[in-house]
Amino acid sequence: MIYLKAAVVWLIVAVVAVFAVSSSGMIEVAANREHSGPVGWILETAREASVERQAASIDVPELDSPDMQLAGINDFDAMCVGCHGGPGKERSSAGRGLNPIAPDLATVATERTAAEIYWATRNGIRMTGMPAWSASHDDQSLWPVVSFISMRLPDLDSAGYAAMLEGATGHGHHSGDSGGHTEGDGESHEHGNGADQANDPAVPATEEHDHSTHEH
Ligand code: HEC
């Protein structure tokens, strides 16, 4: 009985302490400071374990069709490069300010399975800048990006990437958006625009809407 009372008292003390610390304003939230060692470790370990566990039950479709990869590079260039960077491509000004910084996906592709890449892309990662792309894209648009990242990206240098991107005109729903709309990329999904442009030989698709080189 006495142990039970002591346990209840400690529980109340713990709840009050958590409330006091949370509302004191002392927990650091600035993105330009690092997490303390233990907090960073907990978050990273939890993310890796969670993604691995949830990706285990995903059925991965065939990913080695060249058409799929061509659609994937266009979408990767329009949707991912701003934060993650790419071969010969710097992160955008917004991407450089993220904490945690978005990792180089060529390296990620060598460490994670396609199912894990798909899971993170589709669902996002809470409390980081990684968006849930399921909010705006269905599986038909997401698997090509995963296929490109997982099967092609690790082998591309900047020249290879530029050449593949040029050859991808007309593939994928972001064809024609290249280089743009990477900072948030919310409004460009009224499908069609990019593709129409890409099909029109008079319009140099990869040079339209290029905000990626804009620096302050
Ligand atoms: C607005 C910025 C932003 C955009 C745009 C973005 N990401 Fe991310 N992404 C992040 C951040 C930040 C992380 C790191 C999260 C972490 O470390 O916990 C991340 C993590 C990931 C991971 C997990 C990496 C790992 O180590 O397991 C994958 C996979 C990923 N992103 C894929 C994509 C793909 C594919 C796209 C484009 C469709 C994309 N991201 C677009 C910010 C972004």
Side-chain angles (χ1 to χ4, degrees):
M1 194 59 190
I2 187 135
Y3 291 119
L4 189 66
K5 268 190 191 157
V8 170
V9 170
W10 278 115
L11 190 68
I12 293 170
V13 169
V15 170
V16 170
V18 167
F19 178 78
V21 172
S22 311
S23 53
S24 69
M26 283 164 63
I27 295 182
E28 180 66 81
V29 296
N32 56 6
R33 310 247 177 89
E34 291 307 314
H35 286 300
S36 67
V39 173
W41 182 87
I42 290 170
L43 293 177
E44 193 179 323
T45 307
R47 169 182 45 82
E48 282 189 20
S50 175
V51 174
E52 206 176 299
R53 180 166 168 270
Q54 306 207 55
S57 56
I58 292 172
D59 283 331
V60 179
E62 274 305 319
L63 295 179
D64 48 14
S65 125
D67 266 358
M68 195 180 198
Q69 291 160 8
L70 288 171
I73 191 175
N74 273 329
D75 293 354
F76 170 85
D77 202 71
M79 292 153 63
C80 319
V81 161
C83 288
H84 288 273
K89 300 219 162 185
E90 293 288 326
R91 292 176 177 83
S92 69
S93 39
R96 288 199 295 273
L98 289 170
N99 182 1
I101 199 84
D104 174 7
L105 290 173
T107 312
V108 170
T110 63
E111 294 166 348
R112 311 257 184 263
T113 63
E116 288 164 358
I117 295 172
Y118 165 81
W119 191 92
T121 305
R122 179 177 192 284
N123 300 294
I125 301 177
R126 200 181 296 170
M127 292 204 290
T128 74
M130 175 59 189
W133 290 96
S134 64
S136 51
H137 289 72
D138 58 16
D139 277 3
Q140 263 185 318
S141 320
L142 294 180
W143 279 114
V145 187
V146 174
S147 127
F148 166 72
I149 293 172
S150 167
M151 319 270 305
R152 301 296 300 273
L153 184 59
D155 298 328
L156 291 175
D157 59 10
S158 55
Y161 180 85
M164 184 173 171
L165 189 60
E166 200 170 318
T169 303
H171 293 263
H173 67 285
H174 279 287
S175 172
D177 289 359
S178 291
H181 306 304
T182 44
E183 303 180 43
D185 189 48
E187 64 295 80
S188 61
H189 300 124
E190 302 319 317
H191 301 225
N193 262 356
D196 292 349
Q197 220 171 52
N199 291 336
D200 177 357
V203 182
T206 50
E207 279 158 37
E208 283 292 300
H209 331 287
D210 191 348
H211 304 297
S212 64
T213 52
H214 148 98
E215 297 286 334
H216 301 281

